[in-house]
Amino acid sequence: MYNAELLLKVVALVVFFHALVLCGAEKTAPASISDPLLERARNGEAQAQLEAGFAFYRNNNPVRAAYWFQAAAKQGIAEAQYNAGRCYLAGYGVEKNLHQALDFFKLASEHDLPPAQLETAKLLLNGIAAVPESSPPRKAIEPDEKTAVALLEKAAAKRYTPAMTVYAEYLIKKYRQQKPQKIIALLEMAITGGDRNAPVMLADFLLNRTDQYRDEIRARRLLENSAADNPEAMAKLAFAVEHGFGAPPEPEKAFKLYSEALKKVFIPLAAARLANYYYSGSSGVKQDIQHALKLYTQAAAAGIPEAITQLAVCSKNGIGMKADKANAFELFFQAAKMDHAPAQYELGVCFANGEGTVADQKGAFYWFNQAAMRYEPRALLESGKRYLYGNGTEIDAEKAVAYLEQAYANGMNEAAVLLEEARRKSRNSVNIKPQELPKFGL
C-alpha cells in the first residue's frame, strides 16, 4: 500500500502519461536515455524500468516505452501496470488488446490506484467483445455493473475527479429519477475538482428535471460561469436564453451566443439552432435560406434529428432546393428512427398521403401514434381522430377520448368538436371495455 505522499506522486505520473498519450498533448523534446538507467532497468530494477518507459515515451519510441512499462508492471509497480494498460487500450507500442488492458488495469486497481479503478470500471460497464480470430482466441467479457460501480465509488471517494463525472453519467443514464441527490453531489464535487464538463452536465441535469430538483436559475448560472472557455456551455446557454430558462427569453442574445460558440468549435446542435434563425429570418436576422441549408446539412451529418427533419421539409416542399418527396421520405424516416417526434408525425403524413412512398394507413397510424406518445400535438390529434373513425387501426372511442383530450390540452382547438363525438360514442358503447389511459411522457 502507498502512503499519501507516494500516492500523490504516483497519480501525478499517471495523469501525466494519460494526458500525453491520449489527449494529444505536445511531446517534450527527445531526451537522451542514460546508460546507467538502462543498465539498472536491464538488471531488473523495477523503478528504473518504469523511468525507462517514460524516457522512451519522451523519445517518441512507443515500442520500447510499452516494453519497459510491462517489465515494471510484472514486478508489481502500480503506475507501470496502469500505463501498460493504457498502452494496450490505445494500441500504443503494442497491438490494441482490450482484454490485456483490463488485466493490467485490474492489477493496478488492487493497489487502490484511482485512475486504474476508473479505467477498469469503464471497461466492465460496457463489457468486451470476443476476438475469436486472435491467437489464442479471446472470449467475450460480459458487463459487470456491480464491480464497476464499486470501483467508481472507491475512486470517487478519493476525490478523483474523472471518476466522479463518469459515475454521475452512469447514474444519470440508469437512475436519474431514483438518485438525483447522489448525482448532484458527484457533479458538485467534480466542479470543485476543476472538471470543465461537470458544470454543463449539472446544468443539463437540473434543466431536465420536472420535480423539486429542477433549478433553472442555478443551471443558467452554471452555464454563464463556464461559457467563456467552454463552447459547449456557451451553446447550451444560448438554448437556455432562447427558451427563457431562468430569465425571460432573449432570442437576439441567443443568436449571438450560438454564433460565437460556432466560431470557436463546430457544435452540431448549435448549428441546427442557428440555422433556424436564418431559415425563418426571425429576431432581426436577415433570412438566408442557403446559409440555413448549409448549417442544417452540417448538423444533419453529425446526426442531429432536428436538422435532418428540417432538410426533409425543404426537400418535400422545394425550399432552397429541388422538390424531391422520395428523398424527403428517406430523411423523415432517418430522423423518426431517432425518436424525433416531429419527424415521426411527418412520416405519418407521408404514409397517409402516399408522398415519397406507397400509401399505407396502418403505417401512417403507427408513426402518428409514435409521435403522439411523445406529446407531438398534431400527432395527438391525428391519433385520436383515427381511433374515433377506425382509420389505420380499430375503432376505439375510449382511446380516442384520451388522445383528443391530450391534443386539446396541447393547443389543438380542432380536437374540441371531435372530443364531444368521441365522448358520446364512448358513453353509448356497451362493447368497449374501460381501459387505462395511454401513458404519456413529457
PDB file of all heavy atoms in Angstrom, residues 170-201:
ATOM      1  N   TYR A 170     -23.113   7.646 -15.480  1.00  0.00           N
ATOM      2  CA  TYR A 170     -23.730   6.319 -15.377  1.00  0.00           C
ATOM      3  C   TYR A 170     -25.050   6.388 -14.610  1.00  0.00           C
ATOM      4  O   TYR A 170     -26.069   5.823 -15.037  1.00  0.00           O
ATOM      5  CB  TYR A 170     -22.766   5.364 -14.670  1.00  0.00           C
ATOM      6  CG  TYR A 170     -23.408   4.082 -14.186  1.00  0.00           C
ATOM      7  CD1 TYR A 170     -23.706   3.054 -15.067  1.00  0.00           C
ATOM      8  CD2 TYR A 170     -23.732   3.922 -12.837  1.00  0.00           C
ATOM      9  CE1 TYR A 170     -24.315   1.883 -14.618  1.00  0.00           C
ATOM     10  CE2 TYR A 170     -24.333   2.758 -12.384  1.00  0.00           C
ATOM     11  CZ  TYR A 170     -24.627   1.742 -13.279  1.00  0.00           C
ATOM     12  OH  TYR A 170     -25.230   0.594 -12.828  1.00  0.00           O
ATOM     13  N   LEU A 171     -25.054   7.108 -13.492  1.00  0.00           N
ATOM     14  CA  LEU A 171     -26.269   7.211 -12.687  1.00  0.00           C
ATOM     15  C   LEU A 171     -27.371   7.970 -13.420  1.00  0.00           C
ATOM     16  O   LEU A 171     -28.554   7.646 -13.286  1.00  0.00           O
ATOM     17  CB  LEU A 171     -25.953   7.903 -11.359  1.00  0.00           C
ATOM     18  CG  LEU A 171     -25.081   7.117 -10.376  1.00  0.00           C
ATOM     19  CD1 LEU A 171     -24.765   7.960  -9.152  1.00  0.00           C
ATOM     20  CD2 LEU A 171     -25.758   5.817  -9.960  1.00  0.00           C
ATOM     21  N   ILE A 172     -26.992   8.976 -14.206  1.00  0.00           N
ATOM     22  CA  ILE A 172     -27.991   9.719 -14.982  1.00  0.00           C
ATOM     23  C   ILE A 172     -28.684   8.804 -15.980  1.00  0.00           C
ATOM     24  O   ILE A 172     -29.897   8.862 -16.176  1.00  0.00           O
ATOM     25  CB  ILE A 172     -27.330  10.919 -15.690  1.00  0.00           C
ATOM     26  CG1 ILE A 172     -26.955  12.003 -14.668  1.00  0.00           C
ATOM     27  CG2 ILE A 172     -28.268  11.513 -16.739  1.00  0.00           C
ATOM     28  CD1 ILE A 172     -26.105  13.113 -15.230  1.00  0.00           C
ATOM     29  N   LYS A 173     -27.914   7.929 -16.614  1.00  0.00           N
ATOM     30  CA  LYS A 173     -28.483   7.015 -17.603  1.00  0.00           C
ATOM     31  C   LYS A 173     -29.360   5.945 -16.957  1.00  0.00           C
ATOM     32  O   LYS A 173     -30.386   5.549 -17.507  1.00  0.00           O
ATOM     33  CB  LYS A 173     -27.369   6.348 -18.403  1.00  0.00           C
ATOM     34  CG  LYS A 173     -26.633   7.289 -19.355  1.00  0.00           C
ATOM     35  CD  LYS A 173     -25.523   6.564 -20.085  1.00  0.00           C
ATOM     36  CE  LYS A 173     -24.790   7.491 -21.040  1.00  0.00           C
ATOM     37  NZ  LYS A 173     -23.660   6.817 -21.724  1.00  0.00           N
ATOM     38  N   LYS A 174     -28.953   5.475 -15.778  1.00  0.00           N
ATOM     39  CA  LYS A 174     -29.625   4.327 -15.170  1.00  0.00           C
ATOM     40  C   LYS A 174     -30.616   4.701 -14.079  1.00  0.00           C
ATOM     41  O   LYS A 174     -31.655   4.047 -13.932  1.00  0.00           O
ATOM     42  CB  LYS A 174     -28.568   3.375 -14.570  1.00  0.00           C
ATOM     43  CG  LYS A 174     -27.629   2.762 -15.592  1.00  0.00           C
ATOM     44  CD  LYS A 174     -28.247   1.583 -16.290  1.00  0.00           C
ATOM     45  CE  LYS A 174     -28.435   0.414 -15.357  1.00  0.00           C
ATOM     46  NZ  LYS A 174     -28.820  -0.824 -16.071  1.00  0.00           N
ATOM     47  N   TYR A 175     -30.285   5.734 -13.299  1.00  0.00           N
ATOM     48  CA  TYR A 175     -31.080   6.010 -12.105  1.00  0.00           C
ATOM     49  C   TYR A 175     -31.361   7.502 -11.927  1.00  0.00           C
ATOM     50  O   TYR A 175     -31.342   8.016 -10.813  1.00  0.00           O
ATOM     51  CB  TYR A 175     -30.353   5.488 -10.857  1.00  0.00           C
ATOM     52  CG  TYR A 175     -30.002   4.037 -10.911  1.00  0.00           C
ATOM     53  CD1 TYR A 175     -28.687   3.623 -11.126  1.00  0.00           C
ATOM     54  CD2 TYR A 175     -30.980   3.055 -10.755  1.00  0.00           C
ATOM     55  CE1 TYR A 175     -28.356   2.278 -11.172  1.00  0.00           C
ATOM     56  CE2 TYR A 175     -30.666   1.710 -10.801  1.00  0.00           C
ATOM     57  CZ  TYR A 175     -29.347   1.330 -11.015  1.00  0.00           C
ATOM     58  OH  TYR A 175     -29.028  -0.007 -11.075  1.00  0.00           O
ATOM     59  N   ARG A 176     -31.641   8.194 -13.027  1.00  0.00           N
ATOM     60  CA  ARG A 176     -31.808   9.644 -12.947  1.00  0.00           C
ATOM     61  C   ARG A 176     -32.975  10.023 -12.034  1.00  0.00           C
ATOM     62  O   ARG A 176     -32.940  11.054 -11.365  1.00  0.00           O
ATOM     63  CB  ARG A 176     -31.989  10.251 -14.325  1.00  0.00           C
ATOM     64  CG  ARG A 176     -33.204   9.819 -15.084  1.00  0.00           C
ATOM     65  CD  ARG A 176     -33.318  10.494 -16.452  1.00  0.00           C
ATOM     66  NE  ARG A 176     -33.307  11.930 -16.326  1.00  0.00           N
ATOM     67  CZ  ARG A 176     -32.344  12.710 -16.773  1.00  0.00           C
ATOM     68  NH1 ARG A 176     -31.296  12.169 -17.380  1.00  0.00           N
ATOM     69  NH2 ARG A 176     -32.407  14.001 -16.638  1.00  0.00           N
ATOM     70  N   GLN A 177     -34.015   9.200 -12.001  1.00  0.00           N
ATOM     71  CA  GLN A 177     -35.175   9.506 -11.160  1.00  0.00           C
ATOM     72  C   GLN A 177     -34.957   9.065  -9.718  1.00  0.00           C
ATOM     73  O   GLN A 177     -35.432   9.711  -8.785  1.00  0.00           O
ATOM     74  CB  GLN A 177     -36.432   8.832 -11.727  1.00  0.00           C
ATOM     75  CG  GLN A 177     -36.819   9.309 -13.108  1.00  0.00           C
ATOM     76  CD  GLN A 177     -37.060  10.812 -13.177  1.00  0.00           C
ATOM     77  OE1 GLN A 177     -37.539  11.413 -12.213  1.00  0.00           O
ATOM     78  NE2 GLN A 177     -36.717  11.424 -14.296  1.00  0.00           N
ATOM     79  N   GLN A 178     -34.231   7.983  -9.530  1.00  0.00           N
ATOM     80  CA  GLN A 178     -34.089   7.405  -8.195  1.00  0.00           C
ATOM     81  C   GLN A 178     -32.981   8.054  -7.365  1.00  0.00           C
ATOM     82  O   GLN A 178     -33.060   8.070  -6.141  1.00  0.00           O
ATOM     83  CB  GLN A 178     -33.808   5.893  -8.295  1.00  0.00           C
ATOM     84  CG  GLN A 178     -34.926   5.106  -8.956  1.00  0.00           C
ATOM     85  CD  GLN A 178     -34.684   4.905 -10.444  1.00  0.00           C
ATOM     86  OE1 GLN A 178     -34.183   5.811 -11.101  1.00  0.00           O
ATOM     87  NE2 GLN A 178     -35.026   3.737 -10.966  1.00  0.00           N
ATOM     88  N   LYS A 179     -31.941   8.577  -8.016  1.00  0.00           N
ATOM     89  CA  LYS A 179     -30.780   9.041  -7.250  1.00  0.00           C
ATOM     90  C   LYS A 179     -30.354  10.468  -7.621  1.00  0.00           C
ATOM     91  O   LYS A 179     -29.173  10.725  -7.881  1.00  0.00           O
ATOM     92  CB  LYS A 179     -29.609   8.080  -7.454  1.00  0.00           C
ATOM     93  CG  LYS A 179     -29.911   6.655  -6.992  1.00  0.00           C
ATOM     94  CD  LYS A 179     -28.703   5.758  -7.080  1.00  0.00           C
ATOM     95  CE  LYS A 179     -29.020   4.363  -6.563  1.00  0.00           C
ATOM     96  NZ  LYS A 179     -27.840   3.452  -6.591  1.00  0.00           N
ATOM     97  N   PRO A 180     -31.289  11.409  -7.622  1.00  0.00           N
ATOM     98  CA  PRO A 180     -30.902  12.767  -8.010  1.00  0.00           C
ATOM     99  C   PRO A 180     -29.904  13.412  -7.055  1.00  0.00           C
ATOM    100  O   PRO A 180     -29.005  14.135  -7.482  1.00  0.00           O
ATOM    101  CB  PRO A 180     -32.240  13.520  -8.017  1.00  0.00           C
ATOM    102  CG  PRO A 180     -33.132  12.730  -7.123  1.00  0.00           C
ATOM    103  CD  PRO A 180     -32.726  11.310  -7.307  1.00  0.00           C
ATOM    104  N   GLN A 181     -30.059  13.174  -5.753  1.00  0.00           N
ATOM    105  CA  GLN A 181     -29.155  13.784  -4.786  1.00  0.00           C
ATOM    106  C   GLN A 181     -27.730  13.286  -4.974  1.00  0.00           C
ATOM    107  O   GLN A 181     -26.776  14.060  -4.894  1.00  0.00           O
ATOM    108  CB  GLN A 181     -29.645  13.502  -3.368  1.00  0.00           C
ATOM    109  CG  GLN A 181     -30.950  14.223  -3.017  1.00  0.00           C
ATOM    110  CD  GLN A 181     -31.456  13.865  -1.646  1.00  0.00           C
ATOM    111  OE1 GLN A 181     -31.472  12.689  -1.256  1.00  0.00           O
ATOM    112  NE2 GLN A 181     -31.890  14.855  -0.888  1.00  0.00           N
ATOM    113  N   LYS A 182     -27.581  12.001  -5.213  1.00  0.00           N
ATOM    114  CA  LYS A 182     -26.251  11.416  -5.430  1.00  0.00           C
ATOM    115  C   LYS A 182     -25.617  12.007  -6.682  1.00  0.00           C
ATOM    116  O   LYS A 182     -24.431  12.358  -6.692  1.00  0.00           O
ATOM    117  CB  LYS A 182     -26.391   9.897  -5.578  1.00  0.00           C
ATOM    118  CG  LYS A 182     -25.099   9.164  -5.890  1.00  0.00           C
ATOM    119  CD  LYS A 182     -24.266   8.962  -4.665  1.00  0.00           C
ATOM    120  CE  LYS A 182     -23.094   8.034  -4.921  1.00  0.00           C
ATOM    121  NZ  LYS A 182     -22.265   7.836  -3.728  1.00  0.00           N
ATOM    122  N   ILE A 183     -26.391  12.131  -7.739  1.00  0.00           N
ATOM    123  CA  ILE A 183     -25.881  12.677  -8.992  1.00  0.00           C
ATOM    124  C   ILE A 183     -25.424  14.123  -8.804  1.00  0.00           C
ATOM    125  O   ILE A 183     -24.324  14.502  -9.230  1.00  0.00           O
ATOM    126  CB  ILE A 183     -26.962  12.591 -10.092  1.00  0.00           C
ATOM    127  CG1 ILE A 183     -27.242  11.122 -10.446  1.00  0.00           C
ATOM    128  CG2 ILE A 183     -26.546  13.373 -11.339  1.00  0.00           C
ATOM    129  CD1 ILE A 183     -28.495  10.918 -11.257  1.00  0.00           C
ATOM    130  N   ILE A 184     -26.255  14.912  -8.152  1.00  0.00           N
ATOM    131  CA  ILE A 184     -25.913  16.320  -7.929  1.00  0.00           C
ATOM    132  C   ILE A 184     -24.657  16.438  -7.078  1.00  0.00           C
ATOM    133  O   ILE A 184     -23.766  17.248  -7.358  1.00  0.00           O
ATOM    134  CB  ILE A 184     -27.101  17.059  -7.285  1.00  0.00           C
ATOM    135  CG1 ILE A 184     -28.264  17.163  -8.278  1.00  0.00           C
ATOM    136  CG2 ILE A 184     -26.686  18.449  -6.808  1.00  0.00           C
ATOM    137  CD1 ILE A 184     -29.550  17.686  -7.683  1.00  0.00           C
ATOM    138  N   ALA A 185     -24.558  15.606  -6.027  1.00  0.00           N
ATOM    139  CA  ALA A 185     -23.384  15.653  -5.148  1.00  0.00           C
ATOM    140  C   ALA A 185     -22.100  15.313  -5.905  1.00  0.00           C
ATOM    141  O   ALA A 185     -21.063  15.971  -5.727  1.00  0.00           O
ATOM    142  CB  ALA A 185     -23.578  14.702  -3.973  1.00  0.00           C
ATOM    143  N   LEU A 186     -22.158  14.281  -6.751  1.00  0.00           N
ATOM    144  CA  LEU A 186     -20.977  13.894  -7.526  1.00  0.00           C
ATOM    145  C   LEU A 186     -20.544  15.022  -8.463  1.00  0.00           C
ATOM    146  O   LEU A 186     -19.344  15.334  -8.573  1.00  0.00           O
ATOM    147  CB  LEU A 186     -21.275  12.633  -8.331  1.00  0.00           C
ATOM    148  CG  LEU A 186     -21.280  11.311  -7.561  1.00  0.00           C
ATOM    149  CD1 LEU A 186     -21.897  10.203  -8.410  1.00  0.00           C
ATOM    150  CD2 LEU A 186     -19.863  10.925  -7.131  1.00  0.00           C
ATOM    151  N   LEU A 187     -21.498  15.625  -9.149  1.00  0.00           N
ATOM    152  CA  LEU A 187     -21.158  16.681 -10.098  1.00  0.00           C
ATOM    153  C   LEU A 187     -20.664  17.933  -9.383  1.00  0.00           C
ATOM    154  O   LEU A 187     -19.767  18.626  -9.884  1.00  0.00           O
ATOM    155  CB  LEU A 187     -22.358  16.996 -10.984  1.00  0.00           C
ATOM    156  CG  LEU A 187     -22.729  15.884 -11.968  1.00  0.00           C
ATOM    157  CD1 LEU A 187     -24.016  16.220 -12.701  1.00  0.00           C
ATOM    158  CD2 LEU A 187     -21.598  15.653 -12.971  1.00  0.00           C
ATOM    159  N   GLU A 188     -21.201  18.212  -8.208  1.00  0.00           N
ATOM    160  CA  GLU A 188     -20.703  19.349  -7.430  1.00  0.00           C
ATOM    161  C   GLU A 188     -19.250  19.128  -7.021  1.00  0.00           C
ATOM    162  O   GLU A 188     -18.428  20.058  -7.081  1.00  0.00           O
ATOM    163  CB  GLU A 188     -21.583  19.567  -6.201  1.00  0.00           C
ATOM    164  CG  GLU A 188     -22.943  20.167  -6.527  1.00  0.00           C
ATOM    165  CD  GLU A 188     -23.854  20.257  -5.320  1.00  0.00           C
ATOM    166  OE1 GLU A 188     -23.609  19.515  -4.328  1.00  0.00           O
ATOM    167  OE2 GLU A 188     -24.806  21.044  -5.365  1.00  0.00           O
ATOM    168  N   MET A 189     -18.921  17.907  -6.600  1.00  0.00           N
ATOM    169  CA  MET A 189     -17.530  17.605  -6.243  1.00  0.00           C
ATOM    170  C   MET A 189     -16.621  17.680  -7.470  1.00  0.00           C
ATOM    171  O   MET A 189     -15.478  18.134  -7.387  1.00  0.00           O
ATOM    172  CB  MET A 189     -17.441  16.217  -5.597  1.00  0.00           C
ATOM    173  CG  MET A 189     -18.027  16.154  -4.195  1.00  0.00           C
ATOM    174  SD  MET A 189     -17.652  14.591  -3.343  1.00  0.00           S
ATOM    175  CE  MET A 189     -18.587  13.414  -4.324  1.00  0.00           C
ATOM    176  N   ALA A 190     -17.142  17.227  -8.619  1.00  0.00           N
ATOM    177  CA  ALA A 190     -16.348  17.289  -9.846  1.00  0.00           C
ATOM    178  C   ALA A 190     -16.077  18.732 -10.244  1.00  0.00           C
ATOM    179  O   ALA A 190     -14.989  19.073 -10.728  1.00  0.00           O
ATOM    180  CB  ALA A 190     -17.059  16.544 -10.969  1.00  0.00           C
ATOM    181  N   ILE A 191     -17.062  19.591 -10.052  1.00  0.00           N
ATOM    182  CA  ILE A 191     -16.867  21.022 -10.343  1.00  0.00           C
ATOM    183  C   ILE A 191     -15.781  21.590  -9.442  1.00  0.00           C
ATOM    184  O   ILE A 191     -14.884  22.316  -9.893  1.00  0.00           O
ATOM    185  CB  ILE A 191     -18.190  21.789 -10.161  1.00  0.00           C
ATOM    186  CG1 ILE A 191     -19.187  21.392 -11.245  1.00  0.00           C
ATOM    187  CG2 ILE A 191     -17.952  23.295 -10.194  1.00  0.00           C
ATOM    188  CD1 ILE A 191     -20.585  21.925 -11.026  1.00  0.00           C
ATOM    189  N   THR A 192     -15.837  21.250  -8.153  1.00  0.00           N
ATOM    190  CA  THR A 192     -14.805  21.695  -7.210  1.00  0.00           C
ATOM    191  C   THR A 192     -13.439  21.179  -7.620  1.00  0.00           C
ATOM    192  O   THR A 192     -12.424  21.861  -7.455  1.00  0.00           O
ATOM    193  CB  THR A 192     -15.145  21.205  -5.787  1.00  0.00           C
ATOM    194  OG1 THR A 192     -16.431  21.694  -5.409  1.00  0.00           O
ATOM    195  CG2 THR A 192     -14.112  21.673  -4.786  1.00  0.00           C
ATOM    196  N   GLY A 193     -13.417  19.968  -8.199  1.00  0.00           N
ATOM    197  CA  GLY A 193     -12.158  19.382  -8.658  1.00  0.00           C
ATOM    198  C   GLY A 193     -11.656  19.939  -9.971  1.00  0.00           C
ATOM    199  O   GLY A 193     -10.597  19.535 -10.451  1.00  0.00           O
ATOM    200  N   GLY A 194     -12.419  20.843 -10.586  1.00  0.00           N
ATOM    201  CA  GLY A 194     -11.946  21.506 -11.798  1.00  0.00           C
ATOM    202  C   GLY A 194     -12.350  20.867 -13.100  1.00  0.00           C
ATOM    203  O   GLY A 194     -11.819  21.227 -14.157  1.00  0.00           O
ATOM    204  N   ASP A 195     -13.290  19.922 -13.080  1.00  0.00           N
ATOM    205  CA  ASP A 195     -13.735  19.299 -14.335  1.00  0.00           C
ATOM    206  C   ASP A 195     -14.551  20.314 -15.125  1.00  0.00           C
ATOM    207  O   ASP A 195     -15.606  20.760 -14.681  1.00  0.00           O
ATOM    208  CB  ASP A 195     -14.579  18.063 -14.028  1.00  0.00           C
ATOM    209  CG  ASP A 195     -14.875  17.244 -15.277  1.00  0.00           C
ATOM    210  OD1 ASP A 195     -15.421  17.809 -16.242  1.00  0.00           O
ATOM    211  OD2 ASP A 195     -14.581  16.036 -15.277  1.00  0.00           O
ATOM    212  N   ARG A 196     -14.089  20.638 -16.330  1.00  0.00           N
ATOM    213  CA  ARG A 196     -14.743  21.688 -17.116  1.00  0.00           C
ATOM    214  C   ARG A 196     -16.078  21.236 -17.714  1.00  0.00           C
ATOM    215  O   ARG A 196     -16.890  22.070 -18.117  1.00  0.00           O
ATOM    216  CB  ARG A 196     -13.811  22.189 -18.222  1.00  0.00           C
ATOM    217  CG  ARG A 196     -13.502  21.183 -19.303  1.00  0.00           C
ATOM    218  CD  ARG A 196     -12.328  21.636 -20.163  1.00  0.00           C
ATOM    219  NE  ARG A 196     -12.590  22.913 -20.799  1.00  0.00           N
ATOM    220  CZ  ARG A 196     -13.129  23.057 -21.999  1.00  0.00           C
ATOM    221  NH1 ARG A 196     -13.506  21.978 -22.677  1.00  0.00           N
ATOM    222  NH2 ARG A 196     -13.312  24.235 -22.532  1.00  0.00           N
ATOM    223  N   ASN A 197     -16.309  19.931 -17.772  1.00  0.00           N
ATOM    224  CA  ASN A 197     -17.577  19.446 -18.315  1.00  0.00           C
ATOM    225  C   ASN A 197     -18.647  19.258 -17.239  1.00  0.00           C
ATOM    226  O   ASN A 197     -19.831  19.168 -17.554  1.00  0.00           O
ATOM    227  CB  ASN A 197     -17.370  18.114 -19.045  1.00  0.00           C
ATOM    228  CG  ASN A 197     -16.556  18.281 -20.312  1.00  0.00           C
ATOM    229  OD1 ASN A 197     -16.771  19.222 -21.063  1.00  0.00           O
ATOM    230  ND2 ASN A 197     -15.613  17.387 -20.533  1.00  0.00           N
ATOM    231  N   ALA A 198     -18.227  19.192 -15.977  1.00  0.00           N
ATOM    232  CA  ALA A 198     -19.184  18.944 -14.906  1.00  0.00           C
ATOM    233  C   ALA A 198     -20.249  20.037 -14.782  1.00  0.00           C
ATOM    234  O   ALA A 198     -21.418  19.718 -14.553  1.00  0.00           O
ATOM    235  CB  ALA A 198     -18.443  18.752 -13.578  1.00  0.00           C
ATOM    236  N   PRO A 199     -19.904  21.329 -14.929  1.00  0.00           N
ATOM    237  CA  PRO A 199     -20.962  22.345 -14.849  1.00  0.00           C
ATOM    238  C   PRO A 199     -22.030  22.171 -15.932  1.00  0.00           C
ATOM    239  O   PRO A 199     -23.220  22.383 -15.669  1.00  0.00           O
ATOM    240  CB  PRO A 199     -20.194  23.664 -15.032  1.00  0.00           C
ATOM    241  CG  PRO A 199     -18.800  23.370 -14.617  1.00  0.00           C
ATOM    242  CD  PRO A 199     -18.567  21.945 -15.026  1.00  0.00           C
ATOM    243  N   VAL A 200     -21.602  21.791 -17.133  1.00  0.00           N
ATOM    244  CA  VAL A 200     -22.558  21.571 -18.216  1.00  0.00           C
ATOM    245  C   VAL A 200     -23.448  20.369 -17.906  1.00  0.00           C
ATOM    246  O   VAL A 200     -24.664  20.401 -18.108  1.00  0.00           O
ATOM    247  CB  VAL A 200     -21.823  21.368 -19.553  1.00  0.00           C
ATOM    248  CG1 VAL A 200     -22.810  21.116 -20.677  1.00  0.00           C
ATOM    249  CG2 VAL A 200     -20.963  22.582 -19.874  1.00  0.00           C
ATOM    250  N   MET A 201     -22.841  19.296 -17.390  1.00  0.00           N
ATOM    251  CA  MET A 201     -23.618  18.105 -17.033  1.00  0.00           C
ATOM    252  C   MET A 201     -24.637  18.423 -15.942  1.00  0.00           C
ATOM    253  O   MET A 201     -25.792  17.995 -16.015  1.00  0.00           O
ATOM    254  CB  MET A 201     -22.678  16.987 -16.567  1.00  0.00           C
ATOM    255  CG  MET A 201     -21.824  16.373 -17.659  1.00  0.00           C
ATOM    256  SD  MET A 201     -20.688  15.105 -17.008  1.00  0.00           S
ATOM    257  CE  MET A 201     -21.853  13.889 -16.400  1.00  0.00           C
TER     258      MET A 201
END
